[in-house]
Amino acid sequence: MLMGGMITPTIALGKKLGLFEALAEVASESSPADAKTIAEKAGCKERYVREWLAVLSCAGFIEVTPDEKFWLTHEAKHEFSGMNNFVVAQMSFLPSVVKTFTELTEAFKKEGPYGLEYSQFSDFYSSMDIMTRVMHDAHLISKYFPLIGMSERLEAGNLRVLDVGCGSGYHALKMAATYPKCEMHGADISEPAIEMANKSLKEEGLKNLTFHVEDAGKMPDAWTNSFDFITIFDACHDQMRPDLCLKEIYRMLKPGGIFAMLEVRGTSNIHSDKEKQGPLAAVFYASSMFHCLPVGSNREDALCMGAMWGEKRARKLIQDAGFKCENVKVVEPKFFPINIVYLCTKE
């Protein structure tokens, strides 16, 4: 456990600095490279890079020769360079959630604050954006929308679509570019996130997408019964009042409209999660403890759900929002192994 705890942030450091890419480019089994060559390629100091190489060589991730030259196997190149591996992306995400370690200890205490502010996590959202791209770039359009039965409808157009909790706009931008005949909207409470989204929107020159700074628990009155399709990607559990968010989504959907909520796979029971997922469940509970729970607990009336709220609790809130039990279907996408989809229809 201790060794893994030390090695994981070392991998994250290499991803952030482009050290794996530099190593892959300048070295091979037949022509390994020394620390100086790798450091120069990455634009880093040789002495620091040598120490980084030492950690991961001793851990078995990087190959090292008796004269201290280094190279990556073909498999390691695939895993560590570029954006190929979700687990490596998760490792890169780790430092951004443990930055608030001291603040979180205060939130744990009875006399401490309710939780933490989104703003306290600094580069968390750029790390999340990388993780989302790793998971979704290959499958969102080709597999996810066909799985939930929306691909042909989106292609046909004339749908009004809303992505709730859109963050920096990744999903909304991808949908708008792929389905130009639809009217797309993205909403998020974070002004910096919407600024990033609008910057990307301007760069891509899309005319069928608008971003809005809105609280998911109190959306504009004018949006009642106005959307054919509403999405939310891994964002509902972060809400302090996900019940209000889901009620607003129900209100905004047109009769016959579809709501698709992608969420973390869980059962709402710790013992069951342990039996089904093993130690991987601990990763998701830890991610929740360091980020999702404190940001979702940060006021007196918060529901404090956390990322592992699970299917039982999610179904109850969805039905309390107005969706009938028979109109709520749970889909398990094999291509998103950590997620399930709640597919809901408004009568």
Side-chain angles (χ1 to χ4, degrees), residues 195-231:
E195 286 177 9
M196 290 172 62
N198 278 321
K199 181 180 178 182
S200 298
L201 178 61
K202 185 176 180 181
E203 289 171 355
E204 295 190 25
L206 298 169
K207 303 300 182 184
N208 61 327
L209 173 59
T210 307
F211 287 109
H212 313 263
V213 177
E214 297 290 350
D215 181 348
K218 186 65 180 77
M219 302 291 253
D221 292 338
W223 287 1
T224 301
N225 296 325
S226 66
F227 291 99
D228 302 281
F229 180 43
I230 297 179
T231 61

Short mmCIF file of all heavy atoms in Angstrom, two decimals, residues 195-231:
data_model
loop_
_atom_site.label_atom_id
_atom_site.label_comp_id
_atom_site.label_asym_id
_atom_site.label_seq_id
_atom_site.Cartn_x
_atom_site.Cartn_y
_atom_site.Cartn_z
N GLU A 195 -16.93 29.95 -18.82
CA GLU A 195 -15.98 30.76 -19.59
C GLU A 195 -15.11 29.87 -20.47
O GLU A 195 -14.88 30.18 -21.65
CB GLU A 195 -15.11 31.59 -18.65
CG GLU A 195 -15.82 32.77 -18.01
CD GLU A 195 -14.93 33.51 -17.03
OE1 GLU A 195 -13.72 33.20 -16.98
OE2 GLU A 195 -15.45 34.39 -16.31
N MET A 196 -14.64 28.76 -19.92
CA MET A 196 -13.85 27.80 -20.70
C MET A 196 -14.69 27.22 -21.82
O MET A 196 -14.21 27.06 -22.96
CB MET A 196 -13.35 26.68 -19.79
CG MET A 196 -12.28 27.09 -18.80
SD MET A 196 -11.91 25.76 -17.61
CE MET A 196 -11.31 24.48 -18.71
N ALA A 197 -15.95 26.89 -21.52
CA ALA A 197 -16.85 26.32 -22.53
C ALA A 197 -17.09 27.30 -23.67
O ALA A 197 -17.05 26.92 -24.85
CB ALA A 197 -18.17 25.93 -21.88
N ASN A 198 -17.32 28.56 -23.34
CA ASN A 198 -17.57 29.57 -24.38
C ASN A 198 -16.32 29.82 -25.23
O ASN A 198 -16.43 30.10 -26.43
CB ASN A 198 -18.06 30.86 -23.74
CG ASN A 198 -19.54 30.83 -23.45
OD1 ASN A 198 -20.34 30.31 -24.24
ND2 ASN A 198 -19.94 31.39 -22.32
N LYS A 199 -15.16 29.73 -24.61
CA LYS A 199 -13.92 29.88 -25.37
C LYS A 199 -13.79 28.75 -26.40
O LYS A 199 -13.47 28.99 -27.57
CB LYS A 199 -12.72 29.86 -24.42
CG LYS A 199 -11.38 30.04 -25.12
CD LYS A 199 -10.22 30.02 -24.13
CE LYS A 199 -8.88 30.15 -24.85
NZ LYS A 199 -7.74 30.07 -23.90
N SER A 200 -14.07 27.52 -25.97
CA SER A 200 -14.03 26.39 -26.89
C SER A 200 -15.09 26.52 -27.97
O SER A 200 -14.85 26.18 -29.14
CB SER A 200 -14.24 25.08 -26.13
OG SER A 200 -13.21 24.88 -25.18
N LEU A 201 -16.25 27.01 -27.58
CA LEU A 201 -17.35 27.19 -28.54
C LEU A 201 -16.95 28.18 -29.64
O LEU A 201 -17.20 27.94 -30.83
CB LEU A 201 -18.60 27.70 -27.80
CG LEU A 201 -19.84 27.98 -28.66
CD1 LEU A 201 -20.32 26.73 -29.36
CD2 LEU A 201 -20.95 28.57 -27.77
N LYS A 202 -16.31 29.27 -29.24
CA LYS A 202 -15.86 30.27 -30.20
C LYS A 202 -14.81 29.69 -31.13
O LYS A 202 -14.84 29.92 -32.35
CB LYS A 202 -15.31 31.49 -29.46
CG LYS A 202 -14.93 32.64 -30.38
CD LYS A 202 -14.47 33.85 -29.57
CE LYS A 202 -14.10 35.01 -30.48
NZ LYS A 202 -13.64 36.19 -29.69
N GLU A 203 -13.89 28.90 -30.56
CA GLU A 203 -12.82 28.29 -31.36
C GLU A 203 -13.39 27.31 -32.39
O GLU A 203 -12.90 27.22 -33.51
CB GLU A 203 -11.82 27.58 -30.45
CG GLU A 203 -10.97 28.54 -29.63
CD GLU A 203 -10.14 27.82 -28.57
OE1 GLU A 203 -10.30 26.59 -28.43
OE2 GLU A 203 -9.32 28.48 -27.90
N GLU A 204 -14.42 26.57 -32.00
CA GLU A 204 -15.00 25.57 -32.90
C GLU A 204 -16.02 26.16 -33.86
O GLU A 204 -16.39 25.52 -34.84
CB GLU A 204 -15.62 24.44 -32.08
CG GLU A 204 -14.59 23.65 -31.28
CD GLU A 204 -15.17 22.38 -30.67
OE1 GLU A 204 -16.17 21.85 -31.23
OE2 GLU A 204 -14.61 21.91 -29.66
N GLY A 205 -16.49 27.38 -33.58
CA GLY A 205 -17.40 28.06 -34.48
C GLY A 205 -18.77 27.42 -34.62
O GLY A 205 -19.43 27.54 -35.67
N LEU A 206 -19.25 26.77 -33.57
CA LEU A 206 -20.56 26.10 -33.63
C LEU A 206 -21.67 27.12 -33.39
O LEU A 206 -21.59 27.96 -32.50
CB LEU A 206 -20.63 24.99 -32.58
CG LEU A 206 -19.61 23.86 -32.75
CD1 LEU A 206 -19.59 22.97 -31.51
CD2 LEU A 206 -19.92 23.03 -33.98
N LYS A 207 -22.74 27.01 -34.17
CA LYS A 207 -23.85 27.97 -34.10
C LYS A 207 -25.09 27.39 -33.43
O LYS A 207 -26.07 28.11 -33.21
CB LYS A 207 -24.21 28.45 -35.51
CG LYS A 207 -23.06 29.08 -36.28
CD LYS A 207 -22.49 30.30 -35.59
CE LYS A 207 -21.36 30.95 -36.39
NZ LYS A 207 -20.75 32.08 -35.65
N ASN A 208 -25.08 26.10 -33.13
CA ASN A 208 -26.28 25.45 -32.58
C ASN A 208 -26.16 25.15 -31.09
O ASN A 208 -26.88 24.31 -30.55
CB ASN A 208 -26.57 24.15 -33.34
CG ASN A 208 -25.43 23.14 -33.22
OD1 ASN A 208 -24.27 23.51 -33.13
ND2 ASN A 208 -25.78 21.86 -33.21
N LEU A 209 -25.24 25.85 -30.38
CA LEU A 209 -25.00 25.58 -28.97
C LEU A 209 -24.88 26.88 -28.19
O LEU A 209 -24.23 27.83 -28.62
CB LEU A 209 -23.70 24.77 -28.81
CG LEU A 209 -23.16 24.52 -27.40
CD1 LEU A 209 -24.17 23.78 -26.54
CD2 LEU A 209 -21.84 23.75 -27.47
N THR A 210 -25.53 26.90 -27.01
CA THR A 210 -25.47 28.05 -26.10
C THR A 210 -25.16 27.55 -24.70
O THR A 210 -25.74 26.55 -24.25
CB THR A 210 -26.80 28.81 -26.07
OG1 THR A 210 -27.19 29.16 -27.40
CG2 THR A 210 -26.67 30.08 -25.23
N PHE A 211 -24.25 28.23 -24.01
CA PHE A 211 -23.93 27.87 -22.64
C PHE A 211 -24.55 28.88 -21.68
O PHE A 211 -24.66 30.07 -21.98
CB PHE A 211 -22.41 27.83 -22.44
CG PHE A 211 -21.76 26.63 -23.08
CD1 PHE A 211 -20.96 26.78 -24.21
CD2 PHE A 211 -21.96 25.35 -22.55
CE1 PHE A 211 -20.36 25.67 -24.79
CE2 PHE A 211 -21.36 24.25 -23.14
CZ PHE A 211 -20.56 24.40 -24.25
N HIS A 212 -24.93 28.40 -20.49
CA HIS A 212 -25.61 29.22 -19.49
C HIS A 212 -25.01 28.97 -18.11
O HIS A 212 -24.70 27.83 -17.77
CB HIS A 212 -27.10 28.87 -19.41
CG HIS A 212 -27.79 28.78 -20.74
ND1 HIS A 212 -28.52 29.83 -21.29
CD2 HIS A 212 -27.87 27.75 -21.64
CE1 HIS A 212 -29.02 29.44 -22.46
NE2 HIS A 212 -28.64 28.20 -22.69
N VAL A 213 -24.86 30.03 -17.32
CA VAL A 213 -24.50 29.89 -15.91
C VAL A 213 -25.80 29.77 -15.13
O VAL A 213 -26.56 30.73 -15.00
CB VAL A 213 -23.69 31.10 -15.40
CG1 VAL A 213 -23.40 30.95 -13.91
CG2 VAL A 213 -22.39 31.25 -16.18
N GLU A 214 -26.09 28.56 -14.64
CA GLU A 214 -27.34 28.29 -13.94
C GLU A 214 -27.12 27.30 -12.81
O GLU A 214 -26.26 26.43 -12.88
CB GLU A 214 -28.40 27.72 -14.91
CG GLU A 214 -28.82 28.65 -16.03
CD GLU A 214 -29.65 29.84 -15.58
OE1 GLU A 214 -30.07 29.86 -14.39
OE2 GLU A 214 -29.87 30.75 -16.39
N ASP A 215 -27.92 27.44 -11.77
CA ASP A 215 -27.94 26.50 -10.65
C ASP A 215 -28.87 25.35 -11.02
O ASP A 215 -30.05 25.56 -11.32
CB ASP A 215 -28.46 27.23 -9.40
CG ASP A 215 -28.49 26.35 -8.16
OD1 ASP A 215 -28.33 25.11 -8.29
OD2 ASP A 215 -28.69 26.89 -7.06
N ALA A 216 -28.35 24.13 -10.98
CA ALA A 216 -29.15 22.97 -11.39
C ALA A 216 -30.38 22.77 -10.51
O ALA A 216 -31.35 22.14 -10.94
CB ALA A 216 -28.29 21.70 -11.35
N GLY A 217 -30.35 23.31 -9.30
CA GLY A 217 -31.50 23.18 -8.42
C GLY A 217 -32.55 24.24 -8.62
O GLY A 217 -33.64 24.16 -8.03
N LYS A 218 -32.28 25.23 -9.48
CA LYS A 218 -33.27 26.30 -9.76
C LYS A 218 -32.99 26.85 -11.15
O LYS A 218 -32.33 27.86 -11.31
CB LYS A 218 -33.20 27.40 -8.71
CG LYS A 218 -34.29 28.47 -8.87
CD LYS A 218 -35.66 27.86 -8.64
CE LYS A 218 -36.76 28.89 -8.80
NZ LYS A 218 -37.03 29.19 -10.24
N MET A 219 -33.50 26.15 -12.14
CA MET A 219 -33.29 26.54 -13.53
C MET A 219 -34.34 27.56 -13.97
O MET A 219 -35.35 27.76 -13.27
CB MET A 219 -33.33 25.29 -14.41
CG MET A 219 -32.30 24.22 -14.04
SD MET A 219 -30.61 24.72 -14.38
CE MET A 219 -30.26 23.70 -15.80
N PRO A 220 -34.15 28.22 -15.11
CA PRO A 220 -35.10 29.25 -15.54
C PRO A 220 -36.53 28.74 -15.68
O PRO A 220 -36.76 27.64 -16.21
CB PRO A 220 -34.53 29.67 -16.91
CG PRO A 220 -33.08 29.37 -16.83
CD PRO A 220 -32.98 28.12 -16.01
N ASP A 221 -37.49 29.54 -15.22
CA ASP A 221 -38.90 29.17 -15.33
C ASP A 221 -39.31 28.96 -16.78
O ASP A 221 -40.17 28.12 -17.09
CB ASP A 221 -39.78 30.25 -14.70
CG ASP A 221 -39.60 30.33 -13.19
OD1 ASP A 221 -39.15 29.33 -12.59
OD2 ASP A 221 -39.90 31.39 -12.61
N ALA A 222 -38.71 29.73 -17.69
CA ALA A 222 -39.08 29.66 -19.10
C ALA A 222 -38.73 28.31 -19.73
O ALA A 222 -39.19 28.00 -20.83
CB ALA A 222 -38.38 30.77 -19.88
N TRP A 223 -37.92 27.50 -19.05
CA TRP A 223 -37.51 26.21 -19.61
C TRP A 223 -38.49 25.07 -19.28
O TRP A 223 -38.24 23.93 -19.62
CB TRP A 223 -36.11 25.84 -19.11
CG TRP A 223 -35.02 26.66 -19.74
CD1 TRP A 223 -35.17 27.66 -20.65
CD2 TRP A 223 -33.62 26.55 -19.49
NE1 TRP A 223 -33.95 28.19 -21.00
CE2 TRP A 223 -32.98 27.53 -20.30
CE3 TRP A 223 -32.84 25.75 -18.67
CZ2 TRP A 223 -31.59 27.71 -20.31
CZ3 TRP A 223 -31.46 25.91 -18.67
CH2 TRP A 223 -30.85 26.88 -19.48
N THR A 224 -39.60 25.37 -18.66
CA THR A 224 -40.59 24.33 -18.35
C THR A 224 -41.09 23.66 -19.62
O THR A 224 -41.45 24.34 -20.59
CB THR A 224 -41.77 24.93 -17.58
OG1 THR A 224 -41.29 25.52 -16.36
CG2 THR A 224 -42.82 23.87 -17.24
N ASN A 225 -41.10 22.32 -19.63
CA ASN A 225 -41.61 21.53 -20.76
C ASN A 225 -41.00 21.94 -22.09
O ASN A 225 -41.70 22.02 -23.11
CB ASN A 225 -43.14 21.65 -20.86
CG ASN A 225 -43.84 21.06 -19.65
OD1 ASN A 225 -43.39 20.08 -19.08
ND2 ASN A 225 -44.95 21.66 -19.26
N SER A 226 -39.69 22.21 -22.12
CA SER A 226 -39.11 22.76 -23.36
C SER A 226 -38.00 21.93 -23.97
O SER A 226 -37.51 22.26 -25.05
CB SER A 226 -38.60 24.18 -23.10
OG SER A 226 -37.51 24.17 -22.20
N PHE A 227 -37.56 20.82 -23.32
CA PHE A 227 -36.46 20.03 -23.86
C PHE A 227 -36.92 18.61 -24.21
O PHE A 227 -37.63 17.96 -23.45
CB PHE A 227 -35.30 19.97 -22.87
CG PHE A 227 -34.60 21.29 -22.68
CD1 PHE A 227 -34.90 22.10 -21.59
CD2 PHE A 227 -33.66 21.73 -23.61
CE1 PHE A 227 -34.26 23.32 -21.42
CE2 PHE A 227 -33.02 22.95 -23.45
CZ PHE A 227 -33.32 23.75 -22.35
N ASP A 228 -36.46 18.16 -25.37
CA ASP A 228 -36.78 16.79 -25.81
C ASP A 228 -35.85 15.77 -25.16
O ASP A 228 -36.23 14.61 -24.97
CB ASP A 228 -36.62 16.69 -27.34
CG ASP A 228 -37.50 17.66 -28.08
OD1 ASP A 228 -38.69 17.38 -28.21
OD2 ASP A 228 -36.98 18.71 -28.53
N PHE A 229 -34.63 16.19 -24.85
CA PHE A 229 -33.61 15.28 -24.33
C PHE A 229 -32.72 16.04 -23.37
O PHE A 229 -32.21 17.12 -23.70
CB PHE A 229 -32.80 14.72 -25.51
CG PHE A 229 -31.70 13.76 -25.15
CD1 PHE A 229 -31.90 12.77 -24.20
CD2 PHE A 229 -30.46 13.84 -25.77
CE1 PHE A 229 -30.88 11.87 -23.88
CE2 PHE A 229 -29.43 12.95 -25.46
CZ PHE A 229 -29.65 11.96 -24.51
N ILE A 230 -32.56 15.50 -22.16
CA ILE A 230 -31.69 16.11 -21.16
C ILE A 230 -30.66 15.07 -20.71
O ILE A 230 -31.01 13.91 -20.45
CB ILE A 230 -32.48 16.63 -19.94
CG1 ILE A 230 -33.45 17.75 -20.39
CG2 ILE A 230 -31.54 17.17 -18.87
CD1 ILE A 230 -34.29 18.33 -19.27
N THR A 231 -29.41 15.51 -20.63
CA THR A 231 -28.33 14.62 -20.19
C THR A 231 -27.67 15.19 -18.95
O THR A 231 -27.69 16.40 -18.70
CB THR A 231 -27.26 14.46 -21.28
OG1 THR A 231 -26.68 15.75 -21.56
CG2 THR A 231 -27.84 13.89 -22.56
#
